[in-house]
Amino acid sequence: MQANILAFALGTALLQQQAVLPEISWAWVLLPGAVSAFLLWRCRTPILTAAGKILLVVVFLAAGFFWAAAFAHWRLADALPHEWERRDIQLVGVVAELPQTNELFTRFTFDVEQVLTEGAVVPARISLAWYKERGKHAGNAMLPQINAGERWQITARLKRPHGSSNPHGFDVEASTLERNIRATGYVRKANDNLRLDEMVNRPAYRIERLRQEIRERFIQALPDRAYVGVLVALAVGEQRAIPREQWQVFTRTGVNHLMSISGLHVTMVSSLVFALVYWLWRWSHYLALRLPARKAAAIAGLAAALGYALLAGFAVPAQRTVYMLAVVAIALWLGRFTSATTVLTWALLAVVVLDPWAVLSPGFWLSFGAIA
């Protein structure tokens, strides 16, 4: 099965290298291929059995290819029409992620719920910047206080994601596609830019609001401290809180990777919770007789890993670690020992199934390579 999972991941990576998306109708060839592989695999002849296994690997490779293609078609279909680029559009939606604020503007991800401008078509998720007013009449204009989870009515001017495609450089368009951001733009000055609701009660928005509150508590409790950005980055995965000068020091000394939430941090938190619950659970005869301490500790450790990863933004390194720990927890729960390669491959499958664009991230390959 490990070879099949690797083939599936390779198929998703192969799709990302294509200049043109294939038609999904070609995916029907998977069905006769899978049936043929199964029939050959059931044969008693060694040669036919081997041929069936090889054909099954090819089927998984094609399945990964078309799975990534289906995701790409789905996301590309949610596009901003050219005729609505650089035109004022009135929207109602929710601030979906932790806003990023500097001296000039606040940038945030916006989940569009309703388009008020007649005839306008807008993607479901966009990225907006709200700039401070300029000009001689702006005076001491301040940026509006924008919080994650708030519902706003705003007037925005949008365009399709666009960026340079330099070799070995950062690909803006691929990044926005991976994050499902299908348009970017800015908020226009208008009298009807209004906050409609203080909080939209959905789990994802609640988590983002909690991340923002933790960031603000750190900044308020430690004003003008040089290390507050590092603490914020380690607590909620907000690396932009670290000043550029500190990033240069971390990069030159080779410790910049420690400032981003990765498998090291998530595993450490999970292991500490696992050990604590395991130690406390054994002291209670009532609890130990109803559920073994190792199983209870596995559940607690996995819950801690998931909670910390969500608090840190659920980036690819954190996702990978949560999936690997989930495989380990399942093995402990079932009382089965499993190899490191099995944990890695099943975690790999979970990552590429949920996010086929993860293979474009250098951190994806570095993380799996380092753990391997």
Side-chain angles (χ1 to χ4, degrees):
M1 190 62 187
Q2 295 179 17
N4 297 330
I5 293 176
L6 291 174
F8 186 93
L10 182 60
T12 62
L14 184 62
L15 185 278
Q16 310 304 337
Q17 310 305 317
Q18 305 304 307
V20 179
L21 282 177
E23 294 293 335
I24 296 298
S25 57
W26 284 99
W28 286 107
V29 301
L30 293 174
L31 184 59
V35 172
S36 301
F38 177 76
L39 294 176
L40 289 172
W41 179 68
R42 291 295 301 270
C43 292
R44 298 181 181 274
T45 307
I47 296 178
L48 295 179
T49 302
K53 292 181 179 179
I54 294 173
L55 182 57
L56 188 60
V57 170
V58 175
V59 169
F60 269 85
L61 177 72
F65 184 86
F66 285 109
W67 176 260
F71 259 72
H73 277 290
W74 169 57
R75 291 211 173 159
L76 289 174
D78 187 23
L80 177 70
H82 288 292
E83 59 269 22
W84 284 101
E85 287 189 293
R86 307 184 190 280
R87 294 175 60 181
D88 289 351
I89 305 174
Q90 197 173 41
L91 306 170
V92 174
V94 182
V95 180
E97 295 181 355
L98 190 67
Q100 312 297 328
T101 302
N102 58 26
E103 296 81 6
L104 300 177
F105 63 87
T106 297
R107 184 172 296 280
F108 55 95
T109 304
F110 197 66
D111 282 349
V112 178
E113 295 180 321
Q114 186 178 1
V115 181
L116 302 180
T117 302
E118 186 177 356
V121 177
V122 177
R125 172 164 285 204
I126 60 178
S127 176
L128 294 174
W130 197 321
Y131 290 92
K132 184 183 294 186
E133 293 183 23
R134 299 178 181 178
K136 60 181 180 180
H137 300 295
N140 296 323
M142 298 180 63
L143 289 168
Q145 179 63 38
I146 299 176
N147 301 307
E150 292 178 339
R151 179 178 282 117
W152 280 80
Q153 176 181 306
I154 58 174
T155 300
R157 186 166 289 187
L158 304 173
K159 65 177 182 178
R160 290 189 172 197
H162 177 72
S164 301
S165 298
N166 296 322
H168 311 296
F170 181 70
D171 193 336
V172 175
E173 294 182 25
S175 176
T176 54
L177 183 64
E178 179 185 0
R179 295 163 56 202
N180 198 22
I181 294 175
R182 305 303 302 127
T184 62
Y186 60 94
V187 178
R188 297 277 287 170
K189 181 182 177 181
N191 294 328
D192 52 2
N193 288 338
L194 303 172
R195 182 187 289 109
L196 302 180
D197 291 304
E198 293 290 338
M199 186 67 214
V200 178
N201 193 19
R202 295 179 188 170
Y205 300 149
R206 286 286 182 185
I207 293 172
E208 292 299 322
R209 175 64 70 86
L210 178 60
R211 295 180 67 209
Q212 183 175 355
E213 291 174 351
I214 293 173
R215 181 183 67 178
E216 292 175 353
R217 295 286 282 282
F218 268 112
I219 295 173
Q220 292 172 4
L222 302 169
D224 303 323
R225 300 288 184 175
Y227 52 81
V228 65
V230 175
L231 295 178
V232 171
L234 294 176
V236 296
E238 180 49 46
Q239 301 176 36
R240 281 173 281 237
I242 300 177
R244 179 174 298 181
E245 296 77 15
Q246 285 188 354
W247 265 122
Q248 291 176 349
V249 174
F250 295 150
T251 302
R252 290 169 182 170
T253 53
V255 298
N256 55 327
H257 63 284
L258 297 177
M259 301 304 126
S260 59
I261 304 301
S262 63
L264 174 67
H265 305 84
V266 177
T267 304
M268 180 179 67
V269 172
S270 177
S271 300
L272 289 173
V273 173
F274 179 94
L276 179 62
V277 172
Y278 184 73
W279 181 74
L280 292 174
W281 201 273
R282 291 188 302 167
W283 284 93
S284 172
H285 296 289
Y286 177 82
L287 295 175
L289 288 174
R290 281 156 180 79
L291 184 67
R294 179 175 292 182
K295 291 186 177 181
I299 295 173
L302 181 60
L306 178 60
Y308 185 36
L310 290 173
L311 198 62
F314 213 53
V316 171
Q319 290 180 35
R320 180 212 68 236
T321 306
V322 171
Y323 300 146
M324 286 194 291
L325 290 174
V327 175
V328 174
I330 292 172
L332 287 173
W333 181 271
L334 298 177
R336 296 180 179 180
F337 294 100
T338 185
S339 65
T341 55
T342 301
V343 174
L344 276 172
T345 50
W346 281 102
L348 175 67
L349 179 63
V351 171
V352 296
V353 165
L354 296 176
D355 183 12
W357 288 276
V359 296
L360 296 175
S361 170
F364 172 86
W365 300 102
L366 291 173
S367 298
F368 274 97
I371 297 298

